């Protein structure tokens, strides 16, 4: 219990330090006007990959790659594609993702409160109806999740594939840094913020022997809701509260760092219209649960484990979000 809160607090503090209390970072990234988010994302992923490689090598932890989320509609990874697309639309509408809305709450950004309300609704819809429909579709189609890794698809060793991932991350960070002006909305450069997020990943690996991921907290919220209103099976109780404890830690960590360093949120934050924030919150949670993870679970953690499903999910998220954001803003 304490480990979940501590690792969540480290993650929340890192997100706040990286400037993710401001919805503008998400919106401008999806409009390809500001590369701060991508730089932080890639730096965090690259750092996480190295941290996990060392932890696995010394025998401290061994984690399985993220499994696919098939629906049996049109492709092996169709659930990752559909879920990633919904996640991308939700991020574009809300200027948030399942993790960054907590720094928004800590900074008093109203968008975060509306996005959280939508995320809660998304968790309720997913646990009450949509997860059952997805499960039935898989059973009818006779498909099951599979744990594929990028190294196998490329015919390379894990070590070689990790080196290629590290090189690609560094190359994109360097290229976007050269062609992107200094971001005046944040105190730290994107890559520096990403390194801090990577250090939060280290805290998670050391304390919980697992990696960060937050969208599961909304699913747990949904289970709690249905249990409280009597919509669950008689006598059923939520199976776990670990993800909710982690999310609580994220909010506390972001709030605590902001109290210690108020200048982190000194620049005015962009506010998203409430209907868009709520709708985005619903879509990003439904999408992330359909895909089996969000920008933290699939992105920072899953890609660092060389999970094929994570790479497909996140590529779809940014591609679709990049199409929608310019149309909305």
């Amino acid at each position: 219990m304490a480990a979940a809160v501590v690792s969540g607090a480290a993650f929340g503090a890192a997100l706040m330090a990286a400037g993710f209390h401001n919805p503008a970072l998400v919106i401008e990234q999806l409009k390809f006007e500001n590369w701060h988010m991508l730089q932080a994302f890639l730096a965090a992923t690259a750092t996480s990959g190295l941290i996990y490689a060392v932890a696995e090598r010394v025998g401290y932890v061994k984690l399985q790659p993220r499994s696919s989320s098939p629906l049996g509609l049109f492709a092996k990874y169709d659930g990752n594609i559909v879920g990633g697309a919904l996640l991308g639309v939700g991020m574009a509408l809300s200027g948030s993702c399942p993790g960054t809305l907590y720094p928004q709450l800590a900074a008093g950004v109203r968008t975060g409160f509306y996005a959280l309300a939508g995320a809660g609704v998304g968790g309720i819809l997913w646990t009450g109806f949509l997860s059952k429909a997805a499960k039935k579709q898989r059973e009818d189609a006779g498909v099951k999740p599979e744990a594929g890794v990028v190294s196998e698809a490329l015919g390379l060793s894990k070590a070689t594939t990790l080196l290629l991932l590290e090189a690609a991350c560094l190359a994109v960070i360097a290229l976007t840094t050269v062609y992107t002006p200094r971001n005046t909305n944040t105190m730290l450069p994107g890559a520096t913020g990403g390194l801090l997020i990577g250090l939060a990943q280290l805290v998670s690996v050391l304390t919980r022997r697992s990696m960060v991921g937050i969208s599961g907290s909304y699913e747990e919220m949904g289970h709690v809701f249905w249990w409280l209103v009597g919509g669950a099976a008689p006598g059923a109780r939520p199976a776990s509260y670990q993800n909710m404890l982690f999310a609580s830690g994220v909010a506390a960590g972001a709030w605590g760092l902001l109290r210690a360093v108020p200048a982190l949120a000194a620049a005015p934050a962009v506010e998203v219209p409430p209907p868009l924030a709520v709708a985005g919150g619903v879509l990003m949670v439904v999408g992330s649960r359909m895909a089996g993870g969000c920008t933290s679970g699939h992105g920072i953690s899953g890609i660092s484990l060389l999970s094929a499903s994570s790479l497909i999910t996140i590529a779809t998220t940014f591609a679709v979000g990049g199409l929608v954001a310019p149309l909305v803003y």
Side-chain angles (χ1 to χ4, degrees):
M1 180 181 296
V5 176
V6 169
S7 58
F11 187 53
L15 290 174
M16 177 60 74
F20 283 108
H21 67 284
N22 194 340
L25 292 186
V26 176
I27 295 170
E28 291 174 1
Q29 176 61 69
L30 295 178
K31 294 176 68 178
F32 303 104
E33 296 175 349
N34 186 326
W35 297 89
H36 180 97
M37 179 183 182
L38 184 62
Q39 291 165 0
F41 176 83
L42 293 178
T45 301
T47 306
S48 296
L50 292 176
I51 288 169
Y52 176 72
V54 173
E56 184 183 46
R57 183 67 179 269
V58 301
Y60 187 77
V61 65
K62 184 173 179 60
L63 302 175
Q64 294 298 316
R66 293 261 172 165
S67 299
S68 62
S69 297
L71 294 174
L73 295 174
F74 59 86
K76 179 179 178 180
Y77 293 98
D78 53 2
N80 297 99
I81 295 171
V82 175
L86 292 174
L87 174 59
V89 174
M91 289 171 56
L93 294 180
S94 66
S96 306
C97 66
T100 63
L101 65 80
Y102 288 102
Q104 293 174 4
L105 296 178
V109 178
R110 293 190 303 276
T111 292
F113 292 90
Y114 290 113
L116 178 62
V121 172
I124 292 170
L125 292 175
W126 176 253
T127 54
F129 311 103
L130 299 178
S131 63
K132 297 178 177 63
K135 180 181 179 181
K136 184 177 186 303
Q137 171 60 35
R138 282 195 298 270
E139 292 174 347
D140 292 344
V143 295
K144 295 181 179 180
E146 298 178 15
V149 292
V150 176
S151 55
E152 292 179 357
L154 296 176
L156 301 172
S157 68
K158 284 188 176 181
T160 301
T161 307
L162 179 60
L163 286 175
L164 290 175
L165 173 65
E166 298 291 321
C169 289
L170 291 175
V172 174
I173 291 171
L175 182 63
T176 55
T177 299
V178 170
Y179 291 101
T180 301
R182 174 74 172 87
N183 187 359
T184 58
N185 292 326
T186 60
M187 289 185 64
L188 300 177
T192 304
L195 289 174
L196 293 177
I197 295 171
L199 291 177
Q201 185 77 274
L202 176 61
V203 174
S204 182
V205 170
L206 291 176
T207 60
R208 301 191 300 160
R209 296 179 186 266
S210 65
M211 303 183 86
V212 299
I214 201 165
S215 64
S217 63
Y218 303 105
E219 186 168 352
E220 286 184 3
M221 292 177 192
H223 284 304
V224 170
F225 170 83
W226 289 114
W227 174 59
L228 290 175
V229 301
R237 295 177 64 89
S240 172
Y241 298 98
Q242 290 300 305
N243 289 312
M244 291 174 61
L245 288 171
F246 179 82
S248 299
V250 174
W255 182 86
L257 182 62
L258 183 58
R259 298 288 80 75
V261 190
L264 287 171
V270 169
E271 293 283 6
V272 171
L276 294 183
V278 173
V282 173
L283 291 175
M284 68 184 182
V285 166
V286 170
S288 62
R289 296 323 300 152
M290 181 178 292
C294 62
T295 45
S296 56
H298 261 316
I300 297 170
S301 299
I303 293 179
S304 66
L305 293 173
L306 306 180
S307 308
S309 62
S310 297
L311 189 61
I312 292 170
T313 300
I314 297 304
T316 305
T317 296
F318 278 92
V320 175
L323 292 174
V324 173
L327 299 177
V328 178
Y329 299 99

